[in-house]
């Protein structure tokens, strides 16, 4: 089957969106690392890699449906952030925008009766639900810990715990 030009163009915009998210989270990881927040840095590095994987999945899909994936130019992300709370709030806001963008893609695929793309996008719909829920968990924990003088140490420990849980889930998945 061949994908429509309009759907191809919309998926290429999503490629650019995922690519930007990957670089944005990498920049945030670097900022955290520089502040000595290794747990936060590692969490954001993983998120950055996930975004690259989200981008690459669209490359593969477009190749399968005889479309053409464009390697995007990426705008320079910010390098400075005020606080770690602000970093994770921004990630959450960004993820909500990505969800809206995925929903628009689903609406377009429905309008075009493009069943293959509808099915392909279901993976992203589930992924966005998980990512938003995860970021809400992170923000809730940061709020609980508060912003007292010791808070950064405890926030970083919490993020390290989330990293360990993610690693355990990954290796369980590999064994399954
Ligand atoms: Fe690729 Fe976090 O959305």
């Amino acid at each position: 089957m061949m994908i429509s030009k309009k759907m191809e163009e919309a998926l290429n915009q999503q490629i650019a969106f995922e690519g930007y998210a990957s670089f944005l989270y990498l920049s945030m990881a670097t900022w955290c690392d520089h502040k000595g927040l290794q747990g936060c840095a590692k969490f954001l590095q993983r998120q950055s890699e996930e975004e690259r994987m989200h981008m690459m999945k669209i490359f593969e899909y477009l190749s399968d449906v005889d479309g053409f994936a464009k390697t995007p130019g990426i705008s320079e992300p910010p390098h400075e952030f005020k606080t770690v709370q602000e970093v994770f709030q921004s990630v959450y806001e960004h993820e909500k925008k990505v969800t809206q963008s995925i929903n628009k893609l689903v609406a377009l695929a429905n309008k075009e009766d493009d069943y293959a793309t509808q099915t392909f996008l279901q993976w992203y719909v589930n992924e966005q639900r998980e990512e938003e829920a995860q970021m809400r968990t992170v923000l809730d924990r940061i709020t609980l810990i508060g912003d007292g003088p010791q808070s950064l140490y405890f926030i970083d420990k919490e993020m390290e715990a989330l990293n360990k849980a993610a690693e355990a889930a990954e290796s369980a998945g590999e064994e399954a």
Side-chain angles (χ1 to χ4, degrees), residues 18 25 51 54 95 98 128 131:
E18 304 283 354
Y25 300 165
E51 298 307 338
H54 297 171
E95 288 302 325
V98 173
Q128 282 312 120
E131 289 210 334

